[in-house]
Amino acid sequence: MSLPRSGETEALKGLLDRALPPRRWWSRVDSATLRQDAFAGFSNAAIVIPQGVAFATIAGLPPEMGLYTAMITAAIAAFWGSSMVMISGPTTAISAVVFATLQDIAPPGSPRFVELAVLIAILVGLIQLVAGMARLGGLVSFVSHSVMTAFTAAAAVLIAASQLPGALGIAVAGGGNVLERLHRLAESASDASLMSVSIAAATLGSLLLCQRYARRLPGFLIALVTGTLLCLLLDGASRGVAMVDGIAAAFPVFSPPTQALKEIGVVIPGAMAIALVGLLEAISIGRAFAVRRREKFDANQEMIGQGLSNAVGGLFQCYAGSGSFTRSGVNAEAGARTPLAGILSSLFLAVTLLMFSDLIRFIPVPAMAGLILYVAWRLIDFGEVRRVVKTSRSETVILGLTLGAGLLVELDFAIYVGVIASFAVFIYQSSHPSIRVSAPVISATGRRKFRNADLHGIPECPQIVTIRLDGPLYFGSVEHVEHEFEVMRRKRPGQKHVLFYLKGVGKIDLAGADFLIEAIRQIRDEGGTFRIIALFPPLLESLRRFHVVEEIGEDHLHISKGEALAAAIPEIDSSACATCSARVFMECADLPDASRRKLTTSKRLNSN
């Protein structure tokens, strides 16, 4: 019997690590970390009850579904994910997209609405699971950060518009975009209830005070208790104040959405948008905490964890969830050391629901609306919006398109607009790489550095031009590079010796190689020389494979600008150097005429 080879052993270990991620962190668990994880889990369970109910309300779902999602999704994502401290569960953005996706298909809160939400959770999980198994974690990074900034802002405005009727005690028709909702609300504003407004204001005010002066206290829970007590004192339930529905059961049960399967085609676009939003949230949060705590983070493993949590959660009355920044922050601040904190949080939540689930029916809707209005306000990152607008025109366009689509069309459509805009900007930028003429300057340390000659007004050699390409050279960028190269050549007809520095080029394709070959022939026909500076091995391999080196010759391929200059100097017209006053290269000092000129100048200075 032969022993497995080292490569096979590593492959098997990697497979086991992906199937059972606790193998990577279980060795860290001891009595000390267990106590810290238990405390962090208990802290999370305390804050998640009002959050879970609030997020389910945003999604148009019964309150227990938010709690089920906070319970099951968190445990599965902690077990199979990659982050050591991130806690998953219901989130504001995903709740808003679920609501926006289903509001025109079924009445919010209805059995059909609930079953479609569960179906979406399963579809979201399957999409994320397949993406993780296909190792597509890196692709998520291609979506611009401005997309999430604008999408989250649009979701916040939609959330606020959907909760204002509850805060004002007004019954208005749901559905439609933000402007339509605000128009219907304005028409019914005269019917606002002073009692409902008072309860919402008291809840919101107490939450603001907690966040301002006592951030370590469970502000959401305190604010919800404040609004509920005020409602009881005013006898709001008997005077027309709407109350939150009680939960049907403290624990979820296995309940696959069999009746909704025939409507997969209706909800799949929304499911894809939610899957993308969920991955963006989870990966960005996971990476942020991993960097802060100096821990490893595997985006693909996290995608698998998120996919399993949603797919399995959907079978147990959960709707789609993702990483929660609030709960993750509380978990980290409470001293969580391992993913056991997330699992213990789910266990503590289950015990809490078993003991106090009957109290949820005493929560007034205006109090819940006050909490959600605060959540909506906090979602908008005004500082980031200002930074994007001030620093990047392309990112501002992406932000504006995404925000406009979210406010004026549909929220799930906004994420597609943002993603398409991100890829369009990426393609445009990759097809317009930087190509510029550079010339040498002597730094303060005495070293020679090449800088942008046009930008800094640096003198150039009358015979040699150094052109630097920063970016890809492929079929999409060839037209731009060719145009810029021709412009440079027309401006510098006397500079017939070209040093072409492929600085930021990893590889080239056939179109890029054809451009180089044509440029080499063009320069030679004009009586000049063409030298390529490249040192990246895959690039050198591509240059040889596409016959560029065969055309230019190995002696015209260099690994540094200094080497290329040393080879180019003997080929220039030395008679022109005798009258040249530029003397831009250190190599000019080695020319015979240059030496005599330097000596004559020195004598003249001494005689004076």
Side-chain angles (χ1 to χ4, degrees):
M1 178 178 173
S2 61
L3 295 175
R5 289 172 293 185
S6 60
E8 295 174 347
T9 303
E10 288 298 320
L12 179 61
K13 181 179 181 298
L15 182 62
L16 287 174
D17 286 345
R18 287 193 293 273
L20 296 171
R23 283 167 46 91
R24 294 177 297 181
W25 53 263
W26 187 255
S27 60
R28 304 184 191 181
V29 177
D30 55 29
S31 58
T33 63
L34 188 58
R35 284 194 299 270
Q36 290 176 292
D37 288 340
F39 178 75
F42 182 78
S43 301
N44 250 286
I47 69 165
V48 76
I49 293 179
Q51 277 192 343
V53 174
F55 293 158
T57 303
I58 292 172
L61 296 167
E64 64 266 19
M65 291 189 68
L67 300 174
Y68 296 163
T69 305
M71 187 189 309
I72 295 178
T73 300
I76 296 176
F79 189 89
W80 269 284
S82 177
S83 176
M84 297 295 288
V85 296
M86 185 172 67
I87 303 292
S88 294
T91 69
T92 316
I94 289 182
S95 300
V97 183
V98 169
F99 179 75
T101 301
L102 298 178
Q103 63 175 334
D104 294 326
I105 301 176
S110 65
R112 184 181 175 218
F113 188 97
V114 171
E115 191 155 273
L116 288 175
V118 170
L119 175 62
I120 285 178
I122 297 174
L123 293 174
V124 166
L126 293 176
I127 294 169
Q128 293 174 334
L129 186 59
V130 170
M133 295 177 68
R135 316 293 289 174
L136 300 181
L139 290 180
V140 178
S141 302
F142 280 90
V143 180
S144 168
H145 178 67
S146 300
V147 174
M148 284 305 295
T149 300
F151 173 80
T152 305
V157 177
L158 178 64
I159 290 167
S162 66
Q163 293 303 309
L164 283 174
L168 298 176
I170 301 172
V172 296
N177 59 41
V178 171
L179 294 181
E180 292 169 344
R181 289 172 179 276
L182 293 178
H183 177 69
R184 290 194 296 267
L185 182 64
E187 290 180 335
S188 305
S190 59
D191 299 330
S193 165
L194 181 61
M195 186 175 295
S196 295
V197 173
S198 300
I199 294 170
T203 305
L204 180 58
S206 58
L207 179 55
L208 290 173
L209 289 174
C210 286
Q211 295 298 314
R212 179 67 176 84
Y213 298 106
R215 293 185 63 85
R216 297 186 67 85
L217 295 178
F220 276 76
L221 187 59
I222 292 172
L224 199 58
V225 170
T226 300
T228 302
L229 290 177
L230 180 60
C231 182
L232 290 174
L233 289 174
L234 298 176
D235 194 21
S238 61
R239 297 172 64 180
V241 175
M243 308 299 289
V244 173
D245 295 332
I247 67 173
F251 295 105
V253 297
F254 182 74
S255 180
T258 53
Q259 297 298 318
L261 291 177
K262 59 181 178 294
E263 298 188 80
I264 287 180
V266 178
V267 299
I268 192 65
M272 294 179 67
I274 293 170
L276 179 58
V277 172
L279 292 179
L280 287 169
E281 283 188 319
I283 291 176
S284 60
I285 293 171
R287 280 180 176 161
F289 279 103
V291 170
R292 186 183 307 174
R293 295 164 59 94
R294 298 183 180 180
E295 296 169 342
K296 293 182 178 180
F297 180 77
D298 185 344
N300 293 303
Q301 184 63 49
E302 189 58 48
M303 291 168 76
I304 292 174
Q306 293 296 320
L308 284 173
S309 68
N310 283 312
V312 175
L315 298 174
F316 289 88
Q317 300 176 282
C318 300
Y319 74 99
S322 181
S324 167
F325 190 83
T326 301
R327 294 184 66 194
S328 301
V330 170
N331 196 43
E333 290 179 10
R337 299 288 297 278
T338 74
L340 268 181
I343 299 172
L344 292 173
S345 173
S346 297
L347 294 177
F348 287 135
L349 176 58
V351 173
T352 304
L353 286 179
L354 185 63
M355 298 173 61
F356 303 109
S357 60
D358 288 341
L359 298 179
I360 292 178
R361 60 190 176 89
F362 294 105
I363 299 175
V365 169
M368 190 60 62
L371 287 184
I372 297 173
L373 287 173
Y374 173 81
V375 171
W377 173 258
R378 294 290 296 173
L379 271 179
I380 304 177
D381 192 342
F382 293 101
E384 181 63 18
V385 171
R386 286 193 295 269
R387 188 186 71 83
V388 169
V389 172
K390 289 181 179 179
T391 58
S392 174
R393 183 178 301 175
S394 60
E395 292 295 320
T396 300
V397 171
I398 294 173
L399 187 144
L401 289 174
T402 307
L403 183 61
L407 296 179
L408 304 177
V409 190
E410 294 290 346
L411 193 59
D412 56 345
F413 181 70
I415 196 69
Y416 295 125
V417 170
V419 169
I420 292 171
S422 292
F423 275 99
V425 168
F426 170 76
I427 291 171
Y428 177 82
Q429 290 176 342
S430 70
S431 65
H432 289 71
S434 171
I435 177 170
R436 60 185 185 271
V437 172
S438 60
V441 295
I442 303 301
S443 67
T445 60
R447 296 183 60 187
R448 177 170 64 180
K449 293 182 178 295
F450 281 74
R451 295 287 184 261
N452 189 325
D454 292 326
L455 180 64
H456 299 287
I458 304 171
E460 301 177 39
C461 174
Q463 299 187 67
I464 299 176
V465 59
T466 303
I467 298 176
R468 172 170 164 166
L469 176 64
D470 283 295
L473 183 58
Y474 72 114
F475 68 91
S477 65
V478 162
E479 183 177 352
H480 169 74
V481 174
E482 187 175 19
H483 174 265
E484 293 298 313
F485 183 77
E486 289 299 325
V487 171
M488 292 175 183
R489 296 296 302 134
R490 285 197 299 269
K491 289 182 178 179
R492 299 166 173 84
Q495 295 170 294
K496 297 181 178 180
H497 301 278
V498 177
L499 308 184
F500 204 77
Y501 184 22
L502 300 176
K503 170 65 175 178
V505 182
K507 292 183 179 180
I508 65 171
D509 64 357
L510 184 59
D514 287 342
F515 159 73
L516 289 175
I517 292 172
E518 182 61 30
I520 293 166
R521 292 172 178 173
Q522 176 187 343
I523 297 300
R524 282 177 178 168
D525 291 343
E526 295 174 1
T529 60
F530 195 101
R531 297 179 181 277
I532 292 177
I533 305 166
L535 50 86
F536 190 50
L539 173 59
L540 295 173
E541 180 184 344
S542 298
L543 292 173
R544 290 187 172 91
R545 186 172 66 254
F546 291 120
H547 307 291
V548 177
V549 176
E550 179 182 332
E551 179 69 32
I552 196 174
E554 288 282 354
D555 59 333
H556 283 63
L557 181 64
H558 307 278
I559 62 171
S560 69
K561 294 186 289 295
E563 179 184 297
L565 277 170
I569 290 292
E571 297 181 334
I572 64 176
D573 183 3
S574 59
S575 63
C577 296
T579 58
C580 176
S581 60
R583 305 294 172 184
V584 299
F585 301 125
M586 291 185 297
E587 289 79 359
C588 294
D590 297 328
L591 295 174
D593 293 311
S595 299
R596 288 196 296 270
R597 181 181 177 88
K598 181 177 180 182
L599 180 61
T600 302
T601 303
S602 177
K603 289 180 177 179
R604 186 182 305 116
L605 291 173
N606 289 334
S607 64
N608 290 336

